[in-house]
Amino acid sequence: MTALQPGARLEAHDHLETEGPGSSSLLRTLYVKIGSALLTLFFVLVFNFFLFRVLPADPAKNLTRNNALTASQLAAINKTFGLGRPLPQQFWNYLVQTLHGNLGRSFVNQEPVAQLIGQRLWPTVLLVGSSTVLATFFGVWIGIRGGWNRGGRFDRTSTAICNTLYAMPDFWLGMVLLIAFASKIALFPTAGMHNPAGGGTGFASLADLLWHLALPCTVLTLVYLAEYSLVMRSSLIDELGSDYLTTARAKGLRDDLVRRRHAVPNALLPSITLIMLNLGFVISGAITTEVVFSWPGLGQLSYIALNAPDYPVLEGTFLVFSAAVIAANLIADLLLTAFDPRVRNA
């Protein structure tokens, strides 16, 4: 083995001292963020259980649609669904079953909640996922163009439109588009995901699906687009006066290269966080939009379960929604920690 020279040993020692604390600090940050996510998820489990137990409605009476049940009949129904047990025992059974992937059975149709959620998952992912992708692309592009030419005609117009869209409730915009393009003109269907008479097969089935998807996807795209555009514009404007942009211009780089290679990558960090958080909401969907357009997703399932009330379905959907947001938030934190030294060293 070749011996290191004194100078080399000193340099290697300094190198280790420089990287060691940074690596341990990064690992400690990762452990803290993952631990916080798990702790938040446990809190959601606890909150999820007790939240729907404080509803004033009696599940047994709602199930039978009969308010004249005797006390023994109510007790028998509650025993069947495990509602007659002491609350601590119900909570323990709920935790054990949830950790094993068993979300219970619906009070209304007796189907497993996990199966109901699985059936409604694809429509929600299709609707909210497609609108999120479209809103991200167009919103970031509008924000970059408007922020780079701040005060110009495009910036003033796009900012006014985005502020208006951002203030609009999605259910209100959905009803306006539904009245305008599905009732008055009848260009699009009023409800559902497929034609009740059958949408055909192959390309005809795909065209029928896109036809039904057009209006609800447009509503969510317009609402989400405004958020992406405003955040990206504000972030880019904050970068315009930075010294590194002045240095890049002083080196002779063209304006479009300064924007594409230097300004936009740094300004994208807040937008990345927003994108990751909204990816978590892809699972939870947009409840009001799904209800307005009768879209058979998780949002409509939650609305139906709330009217019942169907405790297991409400608990299952709420848990899935919360877990998706927590996971997306964790991924966003980990990405920022890995790629942004300012976050890592904070």
Side-chain angles (χ1 to χ4, degrees):
M1 182 181 294
T2 304
L4 292 175
Q5 297 297 326
R9 288 198 298 269
L10 180 60
E11 182 179 353
H13 178 71
D14 293 340
H15 182 69
L16 290 175
E17 284 186 343
T18 302
E19 288 192 349
S23 301
S24 61
S25 176
L26 177 59
L27 289 176
R28 184 169 59 251
T29 302
L30 295 179
Y31 291 149
V32 169
K33 291 184 180 299
I34 294 175
S36 299
L38 293 176
L39 186 62
T40 304
L41 185 59
F42 177 76
F43 172 78
V44 168
L45 281 171
V46 177
F47 182 76
N48 190 26
F49 175 80
F50 289 101
L51 173 65
F52 300 108
R53 294 304 190 281
V54 300
L55 294 177
D58 188 338
K61 292 183 178 181
N62 281 278
L63 284 173
T64 58
R65 306 297 180 185
N66 182 9
N67 293 325
L69 293 176
T70 64
S72 59
Q73 290 173 326
L74 289 174
I77 294 175
N78 287 329
K79 183 179 180 180
T80 301
F81 292 99
L83 298 175
R85 300 172 182 173
L87 199 60
Q89 185 178 356
Q90 291 186 46
F91 178 65
W92 174 253
N93 292 337
Y94 164 74
L95 287 180
V96 173
Q97 291 178 0
T98 302
L99 292 177
H100 285 84
N102 180 11
L103 301 179
R105 303 183 74 87
S106 170
F107 286 168
V108 176
N109 52 28
Q110 296 296 297
E111 293 185 32
V113 174
Q115 180 178 332
L116 290 174
I117 292 176
Q119 294 171 351
R120 301 289 189 121
L121 182 61
W122 162 242
T124 291
V125 171
L126 175 64
L127 171 61
V128 187
S130 58
S131 61
T132 300
V133 171
L134 292 174
T136 300
F137 177 80
F138 290 108
V140 170
W141 177 79
I142 292 173
I144 291 174
R145 182 173 177 183
W148 190 254
N149 300 290
R150 181 183 183 185
R153 179 181 299 177
F154 179 85
D155 180 44
R156 295 195 303 270
T157 304
S158 63
T159 301
I161 294 175
C162 288
N163 281 325
T164 303
L165 291 174
Y166 189 68
M168 284 185 183
D170 54 349
F171 69 89
W172 180 85
L173 181 60
M175 289 188 292
V176 170
L177 295 184
L178 198 61
I179 294 173
F181 297 103
S183 298
K184 298 293 184 181
I185 306 179
L187 290 177
F188 298 98
T190 58
M193 189 174 175
H194 293 285
N195 192 332
T201 59
F203 181 78
S205 177
L206 177 61
D208 180 64
L209 174 62
L210 295 178
W211 187 45
H212 284 77
L213 180 66
L215 282 184
C217 183
T218 300
V219 170
L220 295 180
T221 299
L222 291 176
V223 174
Y224 292 159
L225 176 148
E227 187 176 12
Y228 286 115
S229 174
L230 295 174
V231 170
M232 188 64 204
R233 176 183 179 274
S234 176
S235 180
L236 186 60
I237 289 176
D238 290 340
E239 299 291 333
L240 292 181
S242 301
D243 294 336
Y244 69 90
L245 294 184
T246 304
T247 303
R249 289 191 178 97
K251 291 181 178 180
L253 290 179
R254 297 195 310 272
D255 200 54
D256 60 333
L257 291 178
V258 174
R259 178 185 61 202
R260 187 171 66 251
R261 294 183 181 179
H262 298 280
V264 171
N266 286 281
L268 270 175
L269 290 175
S271 296
I272 290 176
T273 304
L274 180 62
I275 291 170
M276 294 307 303
L277 290 177
N278 282 340
L279 285 180
F281 289 107
V282 167
I283 302 299
S284 62
I287 296 178
T288 53
T289 301
E290 289 189 4
V291 172
V292 168
F293 290 95
S294 298
W295 188 262
L298 291 175
Q300 190 186 51
L301 177 65
S302 303
Y303 176 77
I304 295 174
L306 186 62
N307 287 332
D310 196 342
Y311 289 161
V313 174
L314 287 173
E315 290 173 352
T317 54
F318 184 80
L319 179 61
V320 171
F321 298 164
S322 302
V325 174
I326 292 172
N329 194 13
L330 175 61
I331 294 173
D333 284 344
L334 295 180
L335 288 176
L336 287 179
T337 301
F339 293 109
D340 192 348
R342 295 171 296 181
V343 176
R344 185 166 60 248
N345 299 325

